[in-house]
Amino acid sequence: MPAAQTLSPAELADILAFYAEAGVDCALDEVAHDRFAEGAFPASALPEGGAVTQRASGDTADAPSGQSAPRRVLSRAPAVAPEAPRPALAAASLGADAAAAYAGELAASARTLDDLRAALASFDGCALKAGAKNLCFADGNPAGRIMLVGEAPGEDEDRQGLPFVGVSGQLLDRMLAAIGLSRAEHVYIANIVPWRPPGNRTPTTQEMLACRPFIVRQIELANPDILVTIGGPSSQALLDVKGIMAARGRWLTYNVGGREIPAMPMLHPAYLLRSPIAKRQAWADLLSLKARHDALPHRP
Ligand code: URA
């Protein structure tokens, strides 16, 4: 690739658009790092033979008739596998069912939320982990009577390791404050998927299935009196709701360890930021949530 100074503004814009589409949408450092050269396998430790290859400049993305384009050898690969598989490899090697079964075992073995966080941190069955900076486990008060479950962390959440701290999280806080609730006191917050999907795309069904046992266990351990699913994906994953616009604001039930609790799908604050007209519906749902919360019997 030519040096940056020799690129025209239009070429630079094309490259940035390419990065954004690939999920590379924030700069983490002033200079680029060549992670391939950085020593997972130092060249001196590599035996002869084997090759890691990269598409040579001038290769087309799709070679005619499905054949591979010519490849240029960059460095040698090790003849023996490294001791521990890297997360992306481990995730890729597990099928969706196996990943969900493994997640189920790990989640079931957790006796506390701290255990569960540790179990999730050790779980390599979801490929999103490999591209995320941080695990976003939860925020708010685990003893709060309302639990909110969103979709997946975004860029700010990934950087801070906390759910709902970016612009949509700030709107969520204002929405809660408008009905006298706060995450410091009344609300515990998590996501269906605790690692950021690249480019903030919606998590795939496979990613949600792999992580689902953890959020189910997290709800069990937090044991809230009211569950609110935020947005379509978490409403579908936890309440089997199809079509958030039709389902929002309806009270359903969710089974927490044998106890039926009221559960409501709500519109996602990111959607409200894009479609402020829907704030009217969100306000009606918030008032309904407030009424349910205030009608809860006192805890002994
Ligand atoms: N959107 C979500 O669904 N969850 C977050 O944590 C942030 C944005």
Side-chain angles (χ1 to χ4, degrees):
M1 185 185 294
Q5 309 86 291
T6 67
L7 294 174
S8 70
E11 285 169 326
L12 284 169
D14 278 351
I15 290 174
L16 286 177
F18 167 79
Y19 281 150
E21 212 168 287
V24 183
D25 56 4
C26 66
L28 297 179
D29 209 339
E30 292 294 314
V31 291
H33 295 269
D34 181 354
R35 300 287 180 203
F36 291 103
E38 246 173 29
F41 312 118
S44 57
L46 301 181
E48 296 294 324
V52 175
T53 61
Q54 190 187 54
R55 196 179 293 283
S57 60
D59 289 353
T60 53
D62 293 306
S65 56
Q67 288 179 359
S68 302
R71 307 248 152 177
R72 167 166 69 92
V73 174
L74 280 190
S75 62
R76 295 189 307 279
V80 281
E83 269 172 33
R86 296 167 72 183
L89 296 179
S93 65
L94 282 181
D97 290 348
Y102 177 45
E105 275 172 36
L106 275 180
S109 69
R111 292 282 158 261
T112 64
L113 289 168
D114 284 343
D115 287 352
L116 189 69
R117 178 198 286 267
L120 197 45
S122 75
F123 177 61
D124 284 341
C126 175
L128 293 176
K129 181 182 182 184
K133 274 178 82 64
N134 281 303
L135 167 72
C136 295
F137 181 67
D139 196 24
N141 181 2
R145 302 188 79 175
I146 302 176
M147 181 160 176
L148 305 184
V149 181
E151 181 178 323
E155 183 183 344
D156 293 309
E157 288 76 18
D158 185 40
R159 202 177 289 133
Q160 295 185 41
L162 291 170
F164 281 104
V165 290
V167 276
S168 59
Q170 289 155 21
L171 174 57
L172 182 64
D173 284 345
R174 292 199 297 278
M175 289 161 65
L176 293 171
I179 52 168
L181 302 177
S182 72
R183 63 173 96 187
E185 191 179 344
H186 310 94
V187 175
Y188 181 58
I189 309 182
N191 282 308
I192 287 284
V193 163
W195 293 286
R196 182 194 182 200
N200 295 345
R201 65 163 169 73
T202 302
T204 63
T205 304
Q206 177 163 356
E207 288 156 358
M208 286 195 273
L209 285 177
C211 297
R212 192 177 178 283
F214 290 103
I215 187 69
V216 168
R217 184 73 181 134
Q218 197 169 354
I219 299 170
E220 246 169 50
L221 291 169
N223 198 19
D225 292 314
I226 297 176
L227 176 69
V228 175
T229 53
I230 303 180
S234 77
S235 302
Q236 172 147 19
L238 292 175
L239 302 178
D240 201 18
V241 152
K242 292 170 193 64
I244 181 71
M245 293 314 289
R248 55 136 279 275
R250 289 208 196 138
W251 284 102
L252 307 166
T253 53
Y254 182 85
N255 190 309
V256 190
R259 187 169 67 101
E260 296 274 310
I261 61 166
M264 180 174 69
M266 274 190 56
L267 297 177
H268 197 291
Y271 173 74
L272 298 176
L273 287 169
R274 291 194 303 273
S275 310
I277 190 112
K279 284 184 180 172
R280 239 172 95 170
Q281 294 159 307
W283 179 239
D285 301 345
L286 283 169
L287 291 177
S288 175
L289 173 62
K290 171 72 172 161
R292 280 276 171 156
H293 178 264
D294 290 354
L296 287 173
H298 281 288
R299 271 184 178 162

Coordinates of all heavy atoms in Angstrom, one line a residue, residues 66-161:
G66 N -13.7 -19.8 -8.3 CA -13.5 -20.2 -6.9 C -12.2 -20.6 -6.5 O -11.9 -21.1 -5.4
Q67 N -11.2 -20.4 -7.4 CA -9.8 -20.9 -7.0 C -9.1 -19.8 -6.2 O -9.4 -18.6 -6.4 CB -9.0 -21.2 -8.3 CG -9.5 -22.5 -8.9 CD -8.7 -22.8 -10.2 OE1 -7.8 -22.0 -10.5 NE2 -9.1 -23.8 -10.8
S68 N -8.2 -20.3 -5.4 CA -7.5 -19.3 -4.5 C -6.6 -18.4 -5.4 O -6.0 -18.9 -6.3 CB -6.6 -20.0 -3.5 OG -7.4 -20.9 -2.7
A69 N -6.6 -17.2 -5.0 CA -5.6 -16.3 -5.7 C -4.2 -16.6 -5.2 O -4.0 -17.2 -4.2 CB -6.0 -14.8 -5.3
P70 N -3.2 -16.2 -6.0 CA -1.8 -16.5 -5.6 C -1.5 -15.9 -4.2 O -2.0 -14.8 -3.9 CB -1.0 -15.8 -6.7 CG -1.9 -15.1 -7.6 CD -3.3 -15.5 -7.2
R71 N -0.7 -16.5 -3.5 CA -0.4 -16.1 -2.1 C 1.1 -15.8 -1.9 O 1.9 -16.5 -2.5 CB -0.9 -17.1 -1.1 CG -2.3 -17.6 -1.3 CD -3.1 -17.1 -0.2 NE -4.5 -17.0 -0.6 CZ -5.4 -16.6 0.2 NH1 -5.2 -16.4 1.4 NH2 -6.6 -16.5 -0.3
R72 N 1.4 -14.9 -1.1 CA 2.8 -14.5 -0.8 C 3.1 -15.0 0.6 O 2.3 -14.8 1.5 CB 2.8 -13.0 -0.9 CG 4.1 -12.4 -0.4 CD 4.1 -10.9 -0.9 NE 3.1 -10.1 -0.3 CZ 3.3 -9.4 0.8 NH1 4.4 -9.4 1.4 NH2 2.3 -8.6 1.3
V73 N 4.2 -15.7 0.8 CA 4.6 -16.2 2.1 C 5.1 -15.0 2.9 O 6.0 -14.3 2.5 CB 5.7 -17.3 1.9 CG1 6.2 -17.7 3.3 CG2 5.1 -18.4 1.2
L74 N 4.5 -14.9 4.1 CA 5.0 -13.9 5.0 C 6.0 -14.4 6.1 O 7.0 -13.8 6.4 CB 3.8 -13.3 5.8 CG 3.0 -12.2 5.1 CD1 2.0 -11.6 6.1 CD2 3.8 -11.2 4.4
S75 N 5.6 -15.5 6.7 CA 6.4 -16.0 7.8 C 6.1 -17.5 8.0 O 5.1 -17.9 7.5 CB 6.2 -15.3 9.1 OG 4.9 -15.4 9.5
R76 N 6.9 -18.2 8.7 CA 6.6 -19.6 8.9 C 5.7 -19.8 10.1 O 5.8 -19.2 11.1 CB 8.0 -20.3 9.1 CG 8.9 -20.3 7.9 CD 10.0 -21.2 8.1 NE 10.8 -21.0 9.4 CZ 11.7 -20.0 9.5 NH1 12.0 -19.2 8.5 NH2 12.3 -19.9 10.7
A77 N 4.9 -20.8 9.9 CA 4.0 -21.2 11.1 C 4.7 -22.3 11.9 O 5.5 -23.0 11.4 CB 2.7 -21.7 10.5
P78 N 4.4 -22.4 13.2 CA 5.0 -23.5 14.0 C 4.5 -24.9 13.5 O 3.4 -25.0 13.1 CB 4.5 -23.2 15.4 CG 3.2 -22.4 15.2 CD 3.3 -21.7 13.9
A79 N 5.4 -25.9 13.7 CA 5.0 -27.2 13.3 C 4.1 -27.8 14.4 O 3.3 -28.7 14.2 CB 6.2 -28.1 13.1
V80 N 4.2 -27.3 15.7 CA 3.4 -27.8 16.8 C 2.4 -26.7 17.2 O 2.7 -25.5 17.1 CB 4.2 -28.2 18.0 CG1 4.9 -29.5 17.8 CG2 5.3 -27.1 18.3
A81 N 1.3 -27.1 17.6 CA 0.2 -26.2 18.0 C 0.7 -25.5 19.3 O 1.4 -26.1 20.1 CB -1.1 -26.9 18.3
P82 N 0.3 -24.2 19.5 CA 0.6 -23.6 20.8 C -0.1 -24.3 21.9 O -1.1 -24.9 21.6 CB 0.1 -22.1 20.6 CG -0.8 -22.2 19.5 CD -0.4 -23.4 18.6
E83 N 0.4 -24.2 23.2 CA -0.2 -24.9 24.3 C -1.7 -24.7 24.5 O -2.5 -25.6 24.5 CB 0.5 -24.6 25.6 CG 1.6 -25.5 25.8 CD 2.5 -25.1 27.0 OE1 1.9 -24.5 27.9 OE2 3.7 -25.3 26.9
A84 N -2.1 -23.4 24.6 CA -3.5 -23.1 24.8 C -4.1 -22.5 23.5 O -3.5 -21.7 22.9 CB -3.7 -22.1 25.9
P85 N -5.3 -23.0 23.1 CA -5.9 -22.5 21.9 C -6.2 -21.0 22.1 O -6.6 -20.7 23.2 CB -7.1 -23.3 21.6 CG -7.4 -24.0 22.9 CD -6.1 -24.1 23.7
R86 N -6.1 -20.2 21.1 CA -6.5 -18.8 21.3 C -8.0 -18.7 21.2 O -8.6 -19.6 20.6 CB -5.8 -17.9 20.2 CG -4.3 -17.9 20.4 CD -3.6 -17.4 19.2 NE -3.8 -16.0 19.2 CZ -3.3 -15.2 18.2 NH1 -2.6 -15.8 17.2 NH2 -3.4 -14.0 18.1
P87 N -8.7 -17.7 21.8 CA -10.1 -17.7 21.9 C -10.8 -17.9 20.6 O -11.8 -18.7 20.5 CB -10.4 -16.4 22.6 CG -9.2 -16.0 23.3 CD -8.0 -16.6 22.5
A88 N -10.4 -17.2 19.6 CA -11.1 -17.2 18.3 C -11.1 -18.7 17.7 O -12.0 -19.1 17.2 CB -10.5 -16.3 17.3
L89 N -9.9 -19.3 17.9 CA -9.8 -20.7 17.4 C -10.7 -21.6 18.2 O -11.4 -22.4 17.6 CB -8.3 -21.2 17.5 CG -7.3 -20.4 16.7 CD1 -5.9 -20.9 16.9 CD2 -7.7 -20.4 15.2
A90 N -10.7 -21.5 19.5 CA -11.5 -22.3 20.3 C -13.0 -22.1 20.0 O -13.7 -23.1 19.8 CB -11.3 -22.0 21.8
A91 N -13.4 -20.9 19.8 CA -14.8 -20.6 19.5 C -15.1 -21.2 18.1 O -16.2 -21.8 17.9 CB -15.0 -19.1 19.5
A92 N -14.2 -21.0 17.2 CA -14.5 -21.5 15.8 C -14.6 -23.0 15.8 O -15.3 -23.5 15.0 CB -13.4 -21.0 14.9
S93 N -13.9 -23.6 16.7 CA -13.9 -25.1 16.6 C -15.1 -25.7 17.3 O -15.3 -26.9 17.2 CB -12.6 -25.6 17.2 OG -12.6 -25.3 18.6
L94 N -15.8 -24.9 18.1 CA -17.0 -25.4 18.7 C -18.2 -25.1 17.9 O -18.4 -24.0 17.4 CB -17.3 -24.7 20.1 CG -16.4 -25.1 21.3 CD1 -16.9 -24.3 22.5 CD2 -16.6 -26.6 21.6
G95 N -19.1 -26.1 17.6 CA -20.4 -25.8 17.0 C -21.3 -25.1 17.9 O -21.0 -25.0 19.1
A96 N -22.4 -24.6 17.4 CA -23.3 -23.8 18.2 C -23.9 -24.6 19.4 O -23.9 -24.1 20.5 CB -24.4 -23.2 17.4
D97 N -24.2 -25.8 19.1 CA -24.8 -26.7 20.2 C -23.8 -27.0 21.2 O -24.1 -26.9 22.4 CB -25.4 -28.0 19.6 CG -26.6 -27.7 18.7 OD1 -27.1 -26.6 18.8 OD2 -27.0 -28.7 18.0
A98 N -22.6 -27.3 20.8 CA -21.5 -27.6 21.8 C -21.2 -26.4 22.6 O -21.0 -26.5 23.8 CB -20.3 -28.2 21.0
A99 N -21.1 -25.2 22.0 CA -20.8 -24.0 22.7 C -21.9 -23.7 23.8 O -21.6 -23.4 24.9 CB -20.7 -22.8 21.8
A100 N -23.2 -23.9 23.4 CA -24.3 -23.7 24.3 C -24.3 -24.7 25.4 O -24.5 -24.3 26.6 CB -25.6 -23.7 23.5
A101 N -23.9 -25.9 25.1 CA -23.9 -27.0 26.2 C -22.8 -26.7 27.2 O -23.0 -26.8 28.4 CB -23.7 -28.3 25.5
Y102 N -21.6 -26.3 26.6 CA -20.5 -25.9 27.5 C -20.8 -24.7 28.4 O -20.6 -24.7 29.6 CB -19.3 -25.7 26.6 CG -18.0 -25.2 27.3 CD1 -17.6 -25.9 28.4 CD2 -17.3 -24.2 26.8 CE1 -16.4 -25.4 29.1 CE2 -16.1 -23.8 27.4 CZ -15.7 -24.4 28.5 OH -14.5 -24.0 29.1
A103 N -21.5 -23.7 27.7 CA -21.9 -22.5 28.5 C -22.9 -22.9 29.6 O -22.8 -22.4 30.7 CB -22.6 -21.5 27.5
G104 N -23.8 -23.8 29.3 CA -24.8 -24.3 30.2 C -24.1 -24.9 31.5 O -24.5 -24.6 32.6
E105 N -23.1 -25.7 31.2 CA -22.4 -26.3 32.3 C -21.6 -25.3 33.2 O -21.7 -25.3 34.4 CB -21.3 -27.3 31.8 CG -21.8 -28.7 31.5 CD -20.8 -29.5 30.8 OE1 -19.6 -29.4 31.1 OE2 -21.2 -30.3 29.9
L106 N -20.9 -24.4 32.5 CA -20.2 -23.4 33.3 C -21.1 -22.5 34.1 O -20.9 -22.2 35.2 CB -19.4 -22.5 32.3 CG -18.1 -22.9 31.8 CD1 -17.5 -21.9 30.9 CD2 -17.1 -23.1 33.0
A107 N -22.2 -22.1 33.4 CA -23.2 -21.2 34.1 C -23.8 -21.9 35.3 O -24.0 -21.3 36.4 CB -24.2 -20.7 33.1
A108 N -24.2 -23.1 35.1 CA -24.9 -23.8 36.2 C -24.0 -24.0 37.4 O -24.4 -24.1 38.5 CB -25.4 -25.2 35.7
S109 N -22.7 -24.1 37.2 CA -21.7 -24.3 38.3 C -21.5 -23.0 39.1 O -20.9 -23.1 40.2 CB -20.4 -24.8 37.8 OG -19.7 -23.8 37.1
A110 N -22.0 -21.9 38.6 CA -21.8 -20.6 39.3 C -22.8 -20.5 40.5 O -24.0 -20.6 40.2 CB -21.9 -19.4 38.4
R111 N -22.3 -20.2 41.7 CA -23.2 -20.1 42.8 C -23.5 -18.6 43.1 O -24.4 -18.3 43.9 CB -22.6 -20.8 44.0 CG -22.5 -22.3 43.9 CD -23.9 -22.9 44.1 NE -24.0 -24.2 43.5 CZ -24.6 -24.5 42.4 NH1 -25.2 -23.6 41.7 NH2 -24.6 -25.7 41.9
T112 N -22.7 -17.7 42.7 CA -22.8 -16.3 42.9 C -22.6 -15.5 41.6 O -22.1 -16.1 40.7 CB -21.8 -15.8 43.9 OG1 -20.5 -15.9 43.4 CG2 -21.8 -16.5 45.2
L113 N -23.0 -14.2 41.6 CA -22.7 -13.4 40.4 C -21.2 -13.3 40.2 O -20.8 -13.3 39.0 CB -23.4 -12.1 40.6 CG -24.9 -12.1 40.5 CD1 -25.5 -10.7 41.0 CD2 -25.4 -12.4 39.1
D114 N -20.4 -13.2 41.2 CA -18.9 -13.2 41.0 C -18.4 -14.5 40.4 O -17.6 -14.4 39.5 CB -18.2 -13.0 42.4 CG -18.3 -11.5 42.8 OD1 -18.7 -10.7 42.0 OD2 -18.1 -11.3 44.0
D115 N -19.0 -15.6 40.8 CA -18.6 -16.9 40.2 C -19.0 -16.8 38.7 O -18.2 -17.3 37.8 CB -19.4 -18.1 40.7 CG -19.1 -18.5 42.1 OD1 -18.1 -18.0 42.6 OD2 -19.8 -19.3 42.7
L116 N -20.1 -16.3 38.4 CA -20.6 -16.3 37.1 C -19.8 -15.4 36.2 O -19.4 -15.7 35.0 CB -22.1 -15.8 37.0 CG -22.8 -16.0 35.7 CD1 -23.0 -17.5 35.3 CD2 -24.1 -15.2 35.6
R117 N -19.4 -14.3 36.7 CA -18.5 -13.4 36.0 C -17.2 -14.1 35.6 O -16.7 -14.0 34.5 CB -18.2 -12.1 36.8 CG -17.2 -11.2 36.0 CD -16.6 -10.2 37.0 NE -17.6 -9.2 37.5 CZ -17.7 -8.0 36.9 NH1 -16.9 -7.7 35.9 NH2 -18.5 -7.1 37.3
A118 N -16.6 -14.8 36.6 CA -15.4 -15.5 36.4 C -15.6 -16.6 35.4 O -14.7 -16.9 34.5 CB -14.9 -16.1 37.7
A119 N -16.7 -17.3 35.5 CA -17.0 -18.4 34.5 C -17.1 -17.8 33.1 O -16.6 -18.4 32.1 CB -18.3 -19.1 34.9
L120 N -17.8 -16.7 33.0 CA -17.9 -16.1 31.7 C -16.6 -15.6 31.1 O -16.3 -15.8 29.9 CB -18.9 -14.9 31.8 CG -19.6 -14.3 30.6 CD1 -20.1 -15.3 29.6 CD2 -20.7 -13.4 31.0
A121 N -15.8 -15.1 32.0 CA -14.4 -14.6 31.6 C -13.6 -15.8 31.1 O -12.7 -15.6 30.2 CB -13.7 -13.9 32.7
S122 N -13.9 -17.0 31.5 CA -13.1 -18.2 31.1 C -13.7 -18.8 29.9 O -13.1 -19.8 29.4 CB -13.0 -19.2 32.2 OG -14.2 -19.9 32.4
F123 N -14.8 -18.4 29.5 CA -15.6 -19.1 28.4 C -15.0 -18.7 27.0 O -15.0 -17.5 26.7 CB -17.1 -18.7 28.5 CG -18.0 -19.3 27.4 CD1 -18.1 -20.6 27.3 CD2 -18.7 -18.4 26.6 CE1 -18.9 -21.2 26.3 CE2 -19.6 -18.9 25.7 CZ -19.7 -20.3 25.5
D124 N -14.6 -19.6 26.2 CA -14.1 -19.3 24.9 C -15.1 -19.8 23.8 O -14.6 -20.0 22.6 CB -12.8 -20.0 24.7 CG -11.7 -19.3 25.5 OD1 -11.9 -18.1 25.8 OD2 -10.6 -19.9 25.7
G125 N -16.3 -20.0 24.1 CA -17.3 -20.5 23.1 C -17.9 -19.5 22.2 O -18.8 -19.8 21.4
C126 N -17.6 -18.2 22.4 CA -18.2 -17.2 21.6 C -17.1 -16.4 21.0 O -16.3 -15.8 21.7 CB -19.1 -16.2 22.5 SG -19.7 -14.8 21.5
A127 N -17.1 -16.3 19.6 CA -16.0 -15.7 18.9 C -15.8 -14.2 19.1 O -14.8 -13.7 18.9 CB -16.1 -16.0 17.4
L128 N -16.9 -13.6 19.6 CA -16.8 -12.1 19.9 C -15.8 -11.8 20.9 O -15.2 -10.7 20.9 CB -18.2 -11.6 20.4 CG -19.4 -11.7 19.4 CD1 -20.6 -11.2 20.0 CD2 -19.0 -10.8 18.1
K129 N -15.5 -12.7 21.8 CA -14.6 -12.4 22.9 C -13.2 -12.0 22.3 O -12.5 -11.2 22.9 CB -14.4 -13.7 23.8 CG -13.5 -13.5 24.9 CD -13.4 -14.8 25.7 CE -12.5 -14.7 26.9 NZ -12.4 -16.0 27.6
A130 N -12.8 -12.7 21.2 CA -11.5 -12.5 20.7 C -11.3 -11.0 20.2 O -10.2 -10.5 20.2 CB -11.2 -13.5 19.6
G131 N -12.4 -10.4 19.7 CA -12.3 -9.1 19.2 C -12.6 -8.0 20.2 O -12.5 -6.8 19.8
A132 N -13.0 -8.3 21.4 CA -13.5 -7.3 22.3 C -12.3 -6.9 23.3 O -11.4 -7.7 23.6 CB -14.6 -7.9 23.2
K133 N -12.4 -5.7 23.7 CA -11.4 -5.2 24.7 C -11.7 -5.7 26.1 O -10.8 -6.0 26.9 CB -11.3 -3.7 24.7 CG -10.4 -3.0 23.7 CD -10.5 -1.5 23.8 CE -9.7 -0.9 24.9 NZ -8.3 -1.1 24.7
N134 N -13.0 -5.7 26.4 CA -13.4 -6.0 27.8 C -14.7 -6.9 27.8 O -15.5 -6.7 26.9 CB -13.7 -4.8 28.6 CG -12.4 -4.1 29.1 OD1 -11.6 -4.7 29.8 ND2 -12.2 -2.9 28.7
L135 N -14.8 -7.6 28.8 CA -16.1 -8.3 29.2 C -17.0 -7.3 29.8 O -16.6 -6.6 30.8 CB -15.8 -9.5 30.1 CG -17.0 -10.1 30.8 CD1 -17.8 -10.9 29.8 CD2 -16.5 -11.0 32.0
C136 N -18.2 -7.1 29.3 CA -19.2 -6.2 29.9 C -20.2 -7.1 30.7 O -21.2 -7.5 30.1 CB -19.9 -5.4 28.9 SG -18.8 -4.3 28.0
F137 N -19.9 -7.3 32.0 CA -20.8 -8.3 32.7 C -22.1 -7.6 33.2 O -23.2 -8.1 32.9 CB -20.0 -8.8 33.9 CG -20.7 -9.8 34.7 CD1 -21.1 -11.1 34.1 CD2 -21.1 -9.6 36.0 CE1 -21.8 -12.0 34.8 CE2 -21.8 -10.5 36.7 CZ -22.1 -11.7 36.1
A138 N -22.0 -6.5 33.9 CA -23.2 -5.9 34.5 C -22.9 -4.6 35.1 O -21.7 -4.2 35.3 CB -23.7 -6.8 35.6
D139 N -23.9 -3.8 35.3 CA -23.8 -2.6 36.0 C -25.1 -2.4 36.9 O -26.1 -3.1 36.7 CB -23.6 -1.4 35.1 CG -23.1 -0.1 35.8 OD1 -22.5 -0.3 36.9 OD2 -23.3 1.0 35.3
G140 N -25.0 -1.5 37.8 CA -26.2 -1.2 38.6 C -26.2 -2.0 39.9 O -25.2 -2.6 40.3
N141 N -27.4 -2.1 40.5 CA -27.5 -2.7 41.8 C -28.1 -4.2 41.7 O -29.2 -4.3 41.4 CB -28.4 -1.9 42.7 CG -28.6 -2.4 44.1 OD1 -28.0 -3.5 44.4 ND2 -29.4 -1.8 44.9
P142 N -27.3 -5.2 42.0 CA -27.8 -6.5 41.8 C -28.9 -6.9 42.8 O -29.7 -7.8 42.6 CB -26.6 -7.4 42.1 CG -25.4 -6.6 42.5 CD -25.9 -5.1 42.4
A143 N -29.0 -6.0 43.8 CA -30.2 -6.2 44.7 C -31.4 -5.4 44.3 O -32.4 -5.5 45.0 CB -29.7 -5.8 46.2
G144 N -31.3 -4.6 43.2 CA -32.4 -3.9 42.7 C -33.5 -4.8 42.3 O -33.3 -5.9 41.9
R145 N -34.8 -4.3 42.3 CA -35.9 -5.2 42.1 C -36.2 -5.3 40.6 O -37.0 -6.2 40.2 CB -37.1 -4.8 42.8 CG -36.7 -4.7 44.3 CD -37.9 -4.5 45.2 NE -38.7 -5.7 45.4 CZ -39.8 -5.7 46.2 NH1 -40.2 -4.7 46.8 NH2 -40.4 -6.9 46.3
I146 N -35.6 -4.5 39.8 CA -35.8 -4.6 38.3 C -34.5 -5.0 37.6 O -33.4 -4.4 38.0 CB -36.2 -3.2 37.7 CG1 -37.5 -2.7 38.4 CG2 -36.4 -3.2 36.2 CD1 -37.9 -1.3 38.0
M147 N -34.5 -5.9 36.7 CA -33.3 -6.2 35.9 C -33.6 -5.9 34.5 O -34.7 -6.3 33.9 CB -33.0 -7.7 36.0 CG -31.7 -8.0 35.2 SD -30.9 -9.5 35.8 CE -29.6 -9.7 34.6
L148 N -32.7 -5.1 33.8 CA -32.8 -4.8 32.4 C -31.8 -5.6 31.6 O -30.7 -5.7 32.1 CB -32.5 -3.3 32.2 CG -33.3 -2.2 33.0 CD1 -32.8 -0.8 32.5 CD2 -34.8 -2.4 32.8
V149 N -32.3 -6.1 30.5 CA -31.3 -6.9 29.7 C -31.3 -6.3 28.3 O -32.4 -6.3 27.6 CB -31.7 -8.4 29.7 CG1 -30.6 -9.2 28.8 CG2 -31.7 -9.0 31.1
G150 N -30.2 -5.8 27.8 CA -30.0 -5.3 26.5 C -29.4 -6.3 25.5 O -29.4 -7.5 25.8
E151 N -28.9 -5.7 24.5 CA -28.5 -6.6 23.4 C -27.0 -7.0 23.5 O -26.6 -8.1 23.7 CB -28.8 -5.8 22.1 CG -28.4 -6.5 20.8 CD -28.8 -5.6 19.6 OE1 -29.9 -4.9 19.7 OE2 -28.1 -5.6 18.6
A152 N -26.1 -6.0 23.3 CA -24.7 -6.2 23.3 C -24.0 -4.9 23.5 O -24.5 -3.8 23.2 CB -24.3 -6.8 22.0
P153 N -22.8 -4.9 24.1 CA -22.0 -3.7 24.3 C -21.7 -3.0 23.0 O -21.5 -3.7 22.0 CB -20.7 -4.2 25.0 CG -20.9 -5.6 25.4 CD -22.0 -6.1 24.5
G154 N -21.6 -1.7 23.0 CA -21.1 -0.9 21.9 C -19.6 -0.5 22.2 O -19.0 -1.0 23.2
E155 N -19.2 0.5 21.5 CA -17.8 1.0 21.6 C -17.4 1.5 23.0 O -16.4 1.1 23.6 CB -17.5 2.0 20.6 CG -16.1 2.5 20.5 CD -15.9 3.7 19.5 OE1 -16.8 3.9 18.7 OE2 -14.9 4.3 19.6
D156 N -18.3 2.4 23.6 CA -18.0 2.9 24.9 C -18.1 1.8 26.0 O -17.2 1.8 26.9 CB -19.0 4.0 25.2 CG -18.9 5.2 24.3 OD1 -17.7 5.7 24.2 OD2 -19.9 5.6 23.7
E157 N -19.0 0.9 25.8 CA -19.2 -0.1 26.8 C -18.0 -1.0 26.8 O -17.4 -1.5 27.8 CB -20.4 -1.0 26.5 CG -21.8 -0.3 26.8 CD -22.1 0.8 25.8 OE1 -21.6 0.8 24.6 OE2 -23.0 1.7 26.1
D158 N -17.5 -1.3 25.6 CA -16.3 -2.2 25.4 C -15.1 -1.6 26.0 O -14.3 -2.3 26.7 CB -16.1 -2.4 23.9 CG -15.0 -3.4 23.6 OD1 -14.9 -4.4 24.3 OD2 -14.2 -3.2 22.6
R159 N -15.0 -0.3 25.9 CA -13.8 0.4 26.4 C -13.9 0.4 27.9 O -12.8 0.2 28.6 CB -13.7 1.8 25.9 CG -12.3 2.4 25.9 CD -12.3 3.8 25.3 NE -12.4 3.8 23.9 CZ -13.2 4.7 23.2 NH1 -13.9 5.5 23.9 NH2 -13.2 4.6 21.9
Q160 N -15.1 0.6 28.5 CA -15.2 0.7 30.0 C -15.5 -0.6 30.7 O -15.4 -0.7 31.9 CB -16.2 1.7 30.3 CG -15.9 3.1 29.9 CD -16.9 4.1 30.4 OE1 -17.4 4.1 31.5 NE2 -17.3 5.1 29.5
G161 N -15.9 -1.6 29.9 CA -16.2 -2.9 30.5 C -17.6 -2.8 31.3 O -17.8 -3.6 32.2

